Amino acid sequence: MSEVYAARRARLREQCTTAGNAAAVVSRAANVRYLTGAAPHGAVLLLGPRADLLLCSGPPSGEAGEGRPDEALRVQVLPTAAGDTAVAAADLAAGQGADSLAVEEHHLTVVRHRALRSVAPRLRLGDLGCAVEQLRLVKDSEEISCLRIAAEIADQALGELLESILVGRTERHLALELERRLVDHGADGPAFATSVGTGINSGRGGHRPTDRRVEEGDFLSVCLGACYRGYRSEIGRTFVIGTTPADWQIELYDLVFAAQRAGREALVPGAEYREVDRAARSVLDAAGYGDALPPATGHGVGLEIDEDPQLAPGAMGKLDACVPVTVEPGVHLPGRGGVRIDDTLVVRPEADGGPELLTITTKELLAL
Amino acid sequence: MSEVYAARRARLREQCTTAGNAAAVVSRAANVRYLTGAAPHGAVLLLGPRADLLLCSGPPSGEAGEGRPDEALRVQVLPTAAGDTAVAAADLAAGQGADSLAVEEHHLTVVRHRALRSVAPRLRLGDLGCAVEQLRLVKDSEEISCLRIAAEIADQALGELLESILVGRTERHLALELERRLVDHGADGPAFATSVGTGINSGRGGHRPTDRRVEEGDFLSVCLGACYRGYRSEIGRTFVIGTTPADWQIELYDLVFAAQRAGREALVPGAEYREVDRAARSVLDAAGYGDALPPATGHGVGLEIDEDPQLAPGAMGKLDACVPVTVEPGVHLPGRGGVRIDDTLVVRPEADGGPELLTITTKELLAL
């Protein structure tokens, strides 16, 4: 793997040099991990004029959740009293003779930025912008393998839950049980806070589990994901509790299913982000639910659960092959409940069979 | 509760006015919650020249974990396309005729700060610094009640675990079970990632649970806490697995226990932060473990699990009554394991009986 990280750093360094920056400090955790294999708490990567260096405020733990740093990379653990890693990196860059340093202005706070400026007043500070986030968009086969495993783990956890008795259990307990099962199946941990919504809470995006119990006749919406070697999957399904769904439930489910399918089918290399969003959104819009929809119907996944691209009306850009995204339209009717269906897929050319579905749990309306 | 939040905002406003700022934007989540009762994701508080306003990027969920906003406070939900809440707040402040605005420079990123500047170019931007964090240091009786309940929940979860069979179970499973029990007993969720370390992993601060199984003869260190109405407790204990602890285990345990007791006994109003640290640290130092100690032996708790004050050698300041802190010295011997003992206490005057211990699980060395 060492060459992979070195190659990523070489690409970034090239961009920096082109932009006229002699060195760069990467501070955003997911970006540090992408470029080094690990992101110990508070660590930054210095792409120095002479050598690259991972600066940590404590010894890397070496545990699965944190990743292991690229063995070819120098790692320096700062003594406790040395303070901020980004400031130490700026100091080192200046000491190595750099005259300019690009930093992640969308991540550094005003106070940290000022501390950098004061420790190395002759260093011209530039903005690295979202250069690393851009590099992270298209995933290599190793990354996609991790995402596949992360999706498989979430499918397994969800599948086991469906075999258990659900009526009478609270949203919170179901969420905790799902998270335990994710870990059972080898996840580093949940990819994000597991959401379980039943009855009037069903279909709400990002719903935080409450003490409401599952009842006969409820819709039950579940959204979970696994984190595997840092890579995060996402799956969302809605079920109905009891033997026969009501007519309104079947209608709403079919509608959201149609919207989600339209979104999935729009995932082709070259499609504009907002076209994919529009494909899903227009189905719900035509049925009169346009006003209550969330701002995006999908987003990228990788080292973060919600990364670029955004599949949203105002998003600019086009999909590439090997970009993993979610497609997750939903409708929530206040006071009644709703439906969300959410998959993680990888964009692939038609010739390769079209989008690769990573989360394969059935999307039939199951009555549990 | 509404008056409490209004009084906190009035104190902050007074400080702002004194510093010459007509308005302020509070963006750090725990600070927003302290001043308004709730911290929906991305929300900011505008202390405006005319009125206060909680600006949210989506509707507050109203769930326990997020808190409920003060009913006397105006809440404004921005339309999706409106973007950043802090920028919107700056725009509003300028529109209300403010000429200056204090912001949390230790929280705002360089990019957000620049966006504020560009939306309201005539507004002089000042630094609010850690004014709200300072207000949060001394807790009122309502806050201490929440901390008491948060501590009680953690005690209960830990007590139940001790009654179960531990040998053969993994660190990860024990951690997940503890988190489930926290929720069972009414926590909003864990106060932080539960740490369970057994054998060679015992006694490591912030150890992330692995697949290592508990074995006869192991030290087992557990650190957990509950979040209750936003307030976070912390308790850490070390046990020995099997019938008879080894001599080195008894010696190490007694030493850490003595250090922790010295730290607890140093908790009096007016004591310097670093004196409390020194009380605990010097015991371990005298036994030859000084070099391997963590940078702090305790810290404040409240709406965040690790807030001011730091009980550390370089910390400046003195304890006040009604400041809740942890006292948590530990020694980890690489390749062997170690001991940590961690309590949450509230500083009280001698006349009131001295420090109030919130986490009451026994600190005897239990053989399980």
Side-chain angles (χ1 to χ4, degrees):
Chain A
M1 276 301 287
S2 201
E3 320 80 64
V4 173
Y5 299 118
R8 290 174 184 170
R9 292 195 299 270
R11 283 182 70 186
L12 182 63
R13 180 186 292 276
E14 203 178 289
Q15 291 185 15
C16 276
T17 311
T18 308
N21 287 304
V25 174
V26 178
S27 55
R28 188 171 174 178
N31 292 345
V32 173
R33 181 153 188 178
Y34 180 76
L35 295 168
T36 71
H41 181 72
V44 303
L45 169 68
L46 170 64
L47 282 185
R50 282 191 235 138
D52 298 343
L53 182 64
L54 181 65
L55 279 152
C56 307
S57 51
S61 73
E63 286 149 26
E66 184 176 288
R68 284 169 208 276
D70 171 5
E71 284 169 16
L73 183 67
R74 250 182 70 212
V75 177
Q76 186 173 327
V77 178
L78 296 180
T80 307
D84 189 286
T85 46
V87 174
D91 196 21
L92 277 169
Q96 289 181 12
D99 59 346
S100 54
L101 180 73
V103 300
E104 296 190 300
E105 292 188 349
H106 62 300
H107 179 258
L108 283 188
T109 65
V110 175
V111 165
R112 285 182 94 182
H113 194 262
R114 188 180 301 135
L116 257 69
R117 203 179 282 287
S118 87
V119 77
R122 288 194 207 160
L123 213 51
R124 184 170 45 74
L125 293 184
D127 187 8
L128 191 58
C130 292
V132 188
E133 284 85 347
Q134 287 302 310
L135 292 178
R136 284 167 48 199
L137 269 174
V138 173
K139 270 69 175 177
D140 65 28
S141 59
E142 183 71 28
E143 294 181 282
I144 291 174
S145 292
C146 290
L147 284 167
R148 267 194 212 110
I149 296 171
E152 196 180 318
I153 291 171
D155 274 323
Q156 286 171 324
L158 183 57
E160 288 172 0
L161 187 82
L162 300 186
E163 287 170 13
S164 64
I165 303 287
L166 299 169
V167 172
R169 297 169 73 192
T170 69
E171 294 172 357
R172 286 201 207 212
H173 278 112
L174 293 176
L176 283 162
E177 184 176 327
L178 282 165
E179 295 191 353
R180 185 178 60 76
R181 289 184 188 278
L182 291 172
V183 174
D184 277 345
H185 288 291
D188 305 335
F192 53 92
T194 299
S195 175
V196 175
T198 185
I200 54 167
N201 296 330
S202 58
R204 287 179 61 193
H207 171 69
R208 289 211 264 184
T210 71
D211 290 325
R212 193 183 187 286
R213 290 177 193 276
V214 176
E215 293 172 16
E216 285 284 326
D218 276 0
F219 263 142
L220 174 70
S221 297
V222 174
C223 187
L224 74 157
C227 182
Y228 181 78
R229 296 194 182 166
Y231 285 84
R232 290 159 200 268
S233 64
E234 181 172 328
I235 179 171
R237 292 290 185 269
T238 300
F239 311 101
V240 74
I241 305 297
T243 45
T244 322
D247 288 347
W248 74 272
Q249 290 178 318
I250 296 174
E251 273 165 42
L252 191 62
Y253 193 92
D254 287 348
L255 179 73
V256 174
F257 179 82
Q260 205 252 1
R261 186 178 53 202
R264 281 187 278 121
E265 288 174 352
L267 292 178
V268 291
E272 289 191 59
Y273 301 151
R274 54 188 181 193
E275 272 176 47
V276 179
D277 176 73
R278 193 186 305 129
R281 189 177 296 269
S282 60
V283 174
L284 304 177
D285 211 4
Y289 297 114
D291 292 341
L293 299 183
T297 54
H299 54 76
V301 293
L303 288 168
E304 292 175 288
I305 189 55
D306 189 353
E307 54 178 58
D308 290 336
Q310 292 294 308
L311 304 180
M316 300 292 284
K318 290 178 179 179
L319 286 176
D320 276 313
C322 300
V323 173
V325 294
T326 66
V327 177
E328 48 173 311
V331 171
H332 173 75
L333 309 177
R336 295 184 79 186
V339 177
R340 281 183 85 84
I341 304 175
D342 184 351
D343 279 313
T344 301
L345 306 98
V346 180
V347 177
R348 302 279 190 193
E350 290 268 16
D352 295 353
E356 177 186 350
L357 182 68
L358 301 190
T359 44
I360 60 169
T361 297
T362 182
K363 288 184 282 282
E364 268 182 273
L365 176 53
L366 296 183
L368 304 173
Chain B
M1 276 303 285
S2 201
E3 321 78 66
V4 173
Y5 299 118
R8 291 174 184 170
R9 292 195 299 271
R11 284 182 70 186
L12 183 63
R13 180 188 292 277
E14 203 178 290
Q15 291 186 13
C16 276
T17 311
T18 309
N21 287 304
V25 175
V26 177
S27 55
R28 188 169 173 180
N31 292 345
V32 173
R33 182 154 189 177
Y34 180 75
L35 297 167
T36 71
H41 180 72
V44 304
L45 169 68
L46 170 63
L47 282 185
R50 281 190 234 140
D52 299 343
L53 182 65
L54 181 65
L55 280 151
C56 306
S57 51
S61 74
E63 286 149 25
E66 185 177 287
R68 285 168 208 278
D70 172 4
E71 283 170 16
L73 183 68
R74 253 182 69 212
V75 177
Q76 186 172 326
V77 177
L78 296 180
T80 307
D84 189 285
T85 46
V87 174
D91 195 20
L92 278 168
Q96 289 181 13
D99 58 347
S100 54
L101 180 73
V103 301
E104 296 190 298
E105 292 188 348
H106 61 301
H107 179 258
L108 283 188
T109 65
V110 174
V111 165
R112 284 184 96 183
H113 194 262
R114 187 180 300 133
L116 258 69
R117 204 179 280 288
S118 86
V119 76
R122 287 193 209 160
L123 214 50
R124 185 171 42 77
L125 294 185
D127 186 8
L128 191 58
C130 291
V132 188
E133 284 85 348
Q134 287 302 309
L135 292 179
R136 285 168 47 200
L137 269 175
V138 174
K139 270 68 174 178
D140 65 28
S141 59
E142 182 71 29
E143 293 182 283
I144 292 174
S145 291
C146 290
L147 283 167
R148 269 195 211 109
I149 296 172
E152 196 181 318
I153 292 171
D155 274 323
Q156 286 172 324
L158 182 56
E160 288 173 0
L161 187 82
L162 300 186
E163 288 171 11
S164 64
I165 302 289
L166 298 169
V167 171
R169 297 169 74 193
T170 69
E171 294 173 357
R172 287 202 206 213
H173 278 111
L174 294 176
L176 284 161
E177 184 176 328
L178 282 166
E179 296 192 353
R180 184 177 61 75
R181 289 183 188 278
L182 291 172
V183 174
D184 276 348
H185 287 291
D188 304 337
F192 53 91
T194 299
S195 175
V196 175
T198 186
I200 54 167
N201 296 330
S202 57
R204 287 180 59 193
H207 171 69
R208 289 211 262 187
T210 70
D211 289 327
R212 192 183 189 287
R213 290 177 193 278
V214 176
E215 292 173 16
E216 285 284 327
D218 275 0
F219 264 142
L220 173 70
S221 298
V222 174
C223 187
L224 74 157
C227 181
Y228 180 77
R229 297 196 182 164
Y231 285 83
R232 291 158 199 268
S233 65
E234 182 171 326
I235 179 171
R237 292 290 184 268
T238 300
F239 311 100
V240 73
I241 304 296
T243 45
T244 322
D247 288 346
W248 74 273
Q249 290 178 317
I250 296 174
E251 274 167 41
L252 191 62
Y253 192 90
D254 287 347
L255 178 73
V256 174
F257 179 82
Q260 204 253 359
R261 186 178 51 201
R264 281 187 279 121
E265 288 173 352
L267 292 178
V268 291
E272 289 191 57
Y273 302 152
R274 55 188 181 193
E275 273 176 46
V276 179
D277 176 74
R278 193 185 307 128
R281 189 177 297 270
S282 60
V283 175
L284 303 177
D285 212 4
Y289 297 114
D291 291 342
L293 298 183
T297 54
H299 55 76
V301 293
L303 288 168
E304 291 175 289
I305 189 56
D306 189 353
E307 55 178 58
D308 291 335
Q310 291 296 309
L311 305 180
M316 299 293 284
K318 290 179 181 178
L319 285 176
D320 276 312
C322 301
V323 172
V325 294
T326 66
V327 177
E328 46 172 312
V331 171
H332 172 75
L333 309 177
R336 296 185 80 187
V339 176
R340 279 183 88 81
I341 305 175
D342 183 352
D343 278 313
T344 302
L345 306 99
V346 181
V347 178
R348 303 278 190 194
E350 290 269 13
D352 294 354
E356 177 186 349
L357 182 68
L358 301 190
T359 43
I360 60 168
T361 297
T362 182
K363 287 186 281 282
E364 269 183 272
L365 175 54
L366 296 183
L368 304 173

